Amino acid sequence: MTNRFAIILAAGQGTRMKSKLYKVLHPVCGKPMVEHVVDNVSKLTVERTVTVVGHGAELVKSKLLNKSDFVVQEEQLGTAHAVKQAKGILGDEEGTTLVICGDTPLITSETMEALLKHHHEHKAKATVLTAYTDQPDGYGRVIRNAEGLVEKNVEHKDTNEEERKIKEINTGTYCFDNQALFQALEKVSNDNAQGEYYLPDVIEILKNQNEVVSAYQTADFDETMGVNDRVALSEAERIMRKRINEYHMRNGVTIIDPTHTYIDASIRIGSDTIIYPGSIIKGNTTIAEDCQIGPNSELYNAVIGPGSVIQQSVVRESTIGARVDIGPFAHIRPESNIHDEVKIGNFVEIKKAVIGKGSKASHLSYIGDADVGENVNLGCGSITVNYNGKSKSLTKIEDDVFVGCNSNLVAPVTVGKGAYIAAGSTITKDVPGESLSIARARQVNKEDYVKKLNLKN
Ligand code: UD1
Ligand code: CA
């Protein structure tokens, strides 16, 4: 098989995004655009992938790490100039080179493969991936001759009135014979409306050398969309979201309303899990089977065990066991580890805490920096007083403890196995196992005192 290489163009600032963040790093469903492109390319068999970086080079590299080699384009003089920067790495190679823009995150590896196939079948030196659209504004137009063969590409800003009406656009993805590409790049000029070296000019240059140039039109314009501004970004997000949600639904996940369910590209979800509307599932989250998520739950880098329910709640960077019931309106903050069959009810905040199997905090509690054992009942209003203004301390609550309502546990403190804390206590000293601890003022009833005060007639 012919050797294959890939060049990904990602050096531009992306002026039209009007952003501090470099264009190709804007996420689509949680993953930077350029990473979508690199990941799709990596599904093909390629010898080497070279990403051309410039604006935000270090940040782009830090996102892609070892997924690609890099070359730096110091000045952004155009897409042809960008590709030329890869000459040092790929210039001597024989084979086929796929060139793709870092701002077209929706092009699938299947379409790239189809383009490569077309290129080889037509024995072409260059093949451009094109698409048909009713809104070609901003895109380069593909000019075909009377026989329907590709002649050249004209950038939107360079089009005349006739050319502007053409609805077949250049998607910015191409296959080239590697040697022909680097030779032709030497001949590209910047004599055009933008004063840039245009990569698509290579098509016309090779055509004029009587080489075979070809175009492969894909049926799905959506896939080829270039993201140049925030309007296109939201459109790309919408298309990607639909793709992701359909993937999960085909895998046995019920998504009640896929248009209002926001699942990042990297998420794994088990079958028979139901996702209710308004749920946002981000980062490296994994959800096991038979769960119910939402409505309106937000999960970020969370691991959710089988059969768990997370209703109208936020879970961040935490692990939730099997058959756990969370919410509505709970907040599970980072580094929490909630074991099987726990119940966390409304208005409960958990932070950096272990909650042992079968324990409950059903209402209005704050449990932070705590190690809670199994079958513990944390009554309504239980609070771990973990912060003295300077440092955080641990509260340890052993198995089978009952914490009465409205109790403060002032850390560092340990409540021994099976102990019972009376409601309204402020516990400042360790409580031995199996004992009852009452730490509140005694109630005094002063009979007939109201009459003595003479407040009533
Ligand atoms: C480009 C094509 C256009 C095509 C469209 C498809 C050119 C001249 N035009 O236009 O025909 O219809 O893509 O989406 O190629 N880049 C660099 N270095 C540079 C310039 C750009 O690395 O000097 C990178 C950008 O980061 C971006 C990609 O190349 O990822 C495309 O550049 P962009 O400015 O978005 O080109 P378009 O105007 O969209
Ligand atoms: Ca673009």
Side-chain angles (χ1 to χ4, degrees):
M1 200 174 102
T2 334
N3 282 339
R4 288 169 169 187
F5 309 95
I7 300 174
I8 295 163
L9 306 184
Q13 161 78 45
T15 325
R16 290 164 280 181
M17 294 297 278
K18 304 209 166 110
S19 175
K20 290 180 278 305
L21 185 66
Y22 310 105
K23 175 167 72 176
V24 297
L25 290 180
H26 275 266
V28 172
C29 294
K31 181 153 102 176
M33 287 194 238
V34 66
E35 199 176 345
H36 281 286
V37 176
V38 172
D39 286 349
N40 288 335
V41 166
S42 76
K43 290 180 197 153
L44 313 167
T45 0
V46 287
E47 301 292 313
R48 256 182 126 162
T49 299
V50 180
T51 302
V52 184
V53 293
H55 280 284
E58 291 312 312
L59 213 55
V60 177
K61 284 188 196 173
S62 74
K63 290 283 174 198
L64 299 179
L65 294 172
N66 54 4
K67 290 182 177 178
S68 175
D69 290 327
F70 300 96
V71 289
V72 179
Q73 183 193 24
E74 298 289 354
E75 253 188 303
Q76 282 65 54
L77 302 179
T79 45
H81 180 258
V83 173
K84 225 169 153 181
Q85 309 309 306
K87 196 175 174 184
I89 297 185
L90 298 179
D92 294 334
E93 299 286 356
E94 301 275 341
T96 305
T97 300
L98 180 79
V99 178
I100 181 162
C101 295
D103 65 350
T104 51
L106 298 163
I107 298 183
T108 60
S109 52
E110 287 80 11
T111 300
M112 295 178 198
E113 199 65 77
L115 170 69
L116 282 155
K117 187 163 174 265
H118 179 102
H119 179 77
H120 288 294
E121 282 173 1
H122 288 76
K123 299 194 166 48
K125 291 286 182 200
T127 305
V128 53
L129 178 69
T130 74
Y132 187 88
T133 169
D134 282 333
Q135 289 167 335
D137 276 16
Y139 289 97
R141 308 297 204 284
V142 176
I143 313 291
R144 293 179 183 258
N145 63 19
E147 290 104 67
L149 297 171
V150 181
E151 289 277 300
K152 59 177 179 174
N153 170 85
V154 180
E155 284 303 289
H156 181 79
K157 286 185 179 155
D158 298 293
T159 48
N160 60 34
E161 216 173 306
E162 276 311 299
E163 290 164 339
R164 213 163 301 149
K165 289 181 193 151
I166 294 173
K167 291 178 173 174
E168 186 179 19
I169 59 112
N170 166 22
T171 66
T173 304
Y174 322 77
C175 276
F176 297 103
D177 171 86
N178 191 63
Q179 289 298 318
L181 168 65
F182 285 103
Q183 279 157 24
L185 282 174
E186 299 298 330
K187 297 181 183 156
V188 174
S189 88
N190 63 353
D191 182 16
N192 52 50
Q194 302 188 84
E196 283 184 11
Y197 296 91
Y198 291 161
L199 176 62
D201 284 0
V202 166
I203 304 279
E204 192 180 4
I205 290 166
L206 290 173
K207 178 83 192 169
N208 290 341
Q209 292 174 10
N210 291 320
E211 301 288 6
V212 179
V213 298
S214 186
Y216 171 70
Q217 193 186 97
T218 166
D220 185 3
F221 168 73
D222 276 359
E223 214 188 275
T224 66
M225 195 175 84
V227 176
N228 295 322
D229 60 23
R230 312 266 184 158
V231 176
L233 182 66
S234 77
E235 185 64 8
E237 179 99 16
R238 186 186 64 78
I239 296 165
M240 184 74 79
R241 185 187 313 139
K242 184 166 185 281
R243 226 187 246 178
I244 291 170
N245 288 348
E246 285 178 4
Y247 163 82
H248 289 297
M249 290 189 277
R250 292 208 168 87
N251 267 348
V253 177
T254 295
I255 299 179
I256 303 289
D257 182 355
T259 57
H260 293 99
T261 303
Y262 309 85
I263 303 177
D264 272 2
S266 48
I267 310 295
R268 276 160 298 162
I269 308 175
S271 65
D272 288 323
T273 282
I274 304 173
I275 319 265
Y276 290 93
S279 294
I280 302 175
I281 303 170
K282 298 196 286 195
N284 250 329
T285 295
T286 303
I287 302 169
E289 54 188 23
D290 302 321
C291 292
Q292 288 178 44
I293 309 295
N296 303 319
S297 287
E298 186 177 334
L299 311 182
Y300 174 74
N301 287 353
V303 177
I304 314 289
S308 289
V309 177
I310 321 270
Q311 255 191 85
Q312 321 233 42
S313 291
V314 177
V315 179
R316 298 181 72 84
E317 292 170 31
S318 291
T319 302
I320 312 294
R323 299 172 300 284
V324 171
D325 191 351
I326 292 180
F329 315 118
H331 187 185
I332 313 297
R333 292 171 52 200
E335 293 181 63
S336 296
N337 188 349
I338 315 274
H339 290 192
D340 297 351
E341 287 153 32
V342 163
K343 167 149 179 52
I344 306 290
N346 41 202
F347 309 112
V348 174
E349 176 179 340
I350 308 280
K351 186 218 84 170
K352 204 176 179 182
V354 177
I355 312 286
K357 188 176 178 199
S359 291
K360 292 188 180 122
S362 297
H363 343 260
L364 298 154
S365 289
Y366 170 66
I367 309 297
D369 299 300
D371 185 354
V372 178
E374 297 186 359
N375 299 315
V376 169
N377 185 79
L378 298 159
C380 175
S382 298
I383 288 174
T384 55
V385 183
N386 62 328
Y387 186 49
N388 62 9
K390 267 193 191 153
S391 57
K392 308 271 166 72
S393 300
L394 184 80
T395 300
K396 191 166 165 42
I397 303 172
E398 295 180 355
D399 295 348
D400 306 317
V401 164
F402 184 96
V403 179
C405 291
N406 205 26
S407 295
N408 298 307
L409 304 171
V410 181
V413 72
T414 297
V415 183
K417 186 173 182 328
Y420 200 104
I421 310 270
S425 292
T426 293
I427 301 295
T428 53
K429 290 186 286 205
D430 287 355
V431 177
E434 304 298 329
S435 57
L436 166 68
S437 186
I438 309 176
R440 62 179 183 226
R442 247 174 214 287
Q443 181 169 335
V444 180
N445 290 342
K446 300 199 172 178
E447 295 203 2
D448 294 330
Y449 198 80
V450 175
K451 272 187 206 148
K452 266 191 222 157
L453 285 176
N454 204 17
L455 291 173
K456 286 189 180 167
N457 298 322

